[in-house]
């Protein structure tokens, strides 16, 4: 028996980063997608920027939507399917929110009804405009929307209701497309975080996780230690264990090689071994690398690690991590992924569904995490909740 995971990249334009949406160049997009298709990828995740499409609550710019539609078409020309994230929201340490919810209009993204009305109109309009594209397979509400807290106050109940209502809007507008919700891993690990782990596994049509080793796991055992190399698999396991549906897939929607946690000389090996660790997980839907292209260092004020996360340089040079990923993909396409039976099952010390305030007990470096890592060195390890 073999699994058939998807492989893709989170699309960061090589020219102008996401500012390129302000001066759209379809030829440049097509050149970037040619890079990605050459690796054997099957999809891209793209990020239109919310305030540039809806600069006023009453204005949704058709020209901006046309640019997004052309991006989806460009992907199709290169054999790539597309997932679209709507609420940007948070990108590479910068937040992008429309002026009509800031300054004198300062409001919570998650709790203000006026903002909700405007956002619902945006989500509905964009989803309907792209729904008929044959290579569109998913719409995610936004990129790690929990990064927009605490600047936008919320509670566990408010954040869950917010996502549920907007997912309903996506489903009505694009009924044949996966409707998804994306959170970074504080939802799994931080006791007082106002986004519940069940938001990941109950809301949307499949679960998404983002594995970044700078969250503390690389401090456990360094760039090539078993905790660091298995973190993506650990998150997939937590999501699978927390879901009430044993067949619910888990999409590893972001994973990458951030420096200095992963030194340049080790990035190819980290890529290969991280992906090979997670591939046999029966819950895995796919792996989507962050990111497609580096950020031009002429652009200022990004955290240093953000500039060099691409599979390609801004000059379209394939980097070692890209080659490692391409090699893994080629092997999977030729030979499949053997399903490795679990060597053991561990019961978490906390029921994450019922006791989110105890999430730190499964965080990187916790007693349970280290127990799981030690067992994982012998083969796949399943997790169950008490």
């Amino acid at each position: 028996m073999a699994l058939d995971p998807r492989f893709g990249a989170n699309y960061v334009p090589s020219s102008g980063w996401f500012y390129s949406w302000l001066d759209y160049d379809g030829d440049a997009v097509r050149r970037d997608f040619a890079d990605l298709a050459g690796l054997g990828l099957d999809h891209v995740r793209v990020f239109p920027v919310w305030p540039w499409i809806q600069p006023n609550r009453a204005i949704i710019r058709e020209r901006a939507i046309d640019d997004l539609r052309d991006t989806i078409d460009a992907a199709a020309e290169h054999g790539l399917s597309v997932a679209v994230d709507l609420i940007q929201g948070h990108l590479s340490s910068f937040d992008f929110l429309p002026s009509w919810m800031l300054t004198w209009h300062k409001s919570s993204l998650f709790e203000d009804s006026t903002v909700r009305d405007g956002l619902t109109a945006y989500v509905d309009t964009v989803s309907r405009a792209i729904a008929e594209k044959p290579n569109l397979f998913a719409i995610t509400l936004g990129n790690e929307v929990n990064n927009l807290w605490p600047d936008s106050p919320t509670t566990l109940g408010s954040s869950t209701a917010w996502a549920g209502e907007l997912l309903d809007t996506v489903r009505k507008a694009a009924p044949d497309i996966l409707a998804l919700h994306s959170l970074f891993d504080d939802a799994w690990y931080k006791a007082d975080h106002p986004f519940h782990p069940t938001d990941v596994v109950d809301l949307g049509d499949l679960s998404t996780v983002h594995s970044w080793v700078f969250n503390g796991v690389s401090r456990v055992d360094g760039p090539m230690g078993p905790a660091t190399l298995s973190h993506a698999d650990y998150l997939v396991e937590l999501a699978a264990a927390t879901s009430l549906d044993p067949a619910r897939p888990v999409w590893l929607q972001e994973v990458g090689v951030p420096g200095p946690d992963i030194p340049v000389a080790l990035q190819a090996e980290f890529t290969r071994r991280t992906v090979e660790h997670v591939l046999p997980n029966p819950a895995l839907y796919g792996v989507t690398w962050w990111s497609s292209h580096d950020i031009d260092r002429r652009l200022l004020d990004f955290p240093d690690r953000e500039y060099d996360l691409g599979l390609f340089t801004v000059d379209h040079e394939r980097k070692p991590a890209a080659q490692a990923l391409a090699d893994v993909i080629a092997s999977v396409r030729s030979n499949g992924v053997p399903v490795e039976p679990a060597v053991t099952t561990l019961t978490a010390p906390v029921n994450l569904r019922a006791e989110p305030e105890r999430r730190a007990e499964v965080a990187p470096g916790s007693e349970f995490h280290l127990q799981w890592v030690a067992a994982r060195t012998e083969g796949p390890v399943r997790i169950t909740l008490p």
Side-chain angles (χ1 to χ4, degrees), residues 50 53-54 60 86-87 116-130 139-142 162 165-171 173-174:
W50 171 30
I53 298 179
Q54 192 184 28
I60 298 177
L86 293 177
I87 304 167
R116 182 79 56 86
D117 290 345
L119 187 55
T120 299
Y122 165 76
V123 168
D124 178 71
T125 300
V126 177
S127 297
R128 290 183 188 279
I130 62 177
I139 296 174
T140 302
L141 292 184
W162 176 90
E165 291 173 15
L166 289 174
L167 286 167
D168 286 344
T169 299
V170 173
R171 290 191 179 101

Side-chain angles (χ1 to χ4, degrees), residues 185 189 210-235 252 254-263 266-267 269-278 289 364-365 369-370 372-374 376-377:
D185 63 16
Y189 298 149
H210 294 187
S211 176
W212 288 106
V213 298
F214 53 68
N215 66 357
V217 71
S218 65
R219 293 194 294 273
V220 172
D221 57 12
M224 301 305 293
T228 304
L229 292 172
S230 66
H231 183 249
D233 190 41
Y234 182 66
L235 269 175
L252 180 56
E254 289 185 19
V255 60
V257 284
D261 302 74
I262 312 299
L266 298 177
Q267 289 180 357
E269 185 180 0
F270 173 88
T271 300
R272 177 182 62 81
R273 293 178 63 183
T274 291
V275 176
E276 288 178 348
H277 264 84
V278 75
W289 205 255
H369 172 245
L370 296 179
W372 184 91
V373 169
R376 184 65 181 81
T377 61

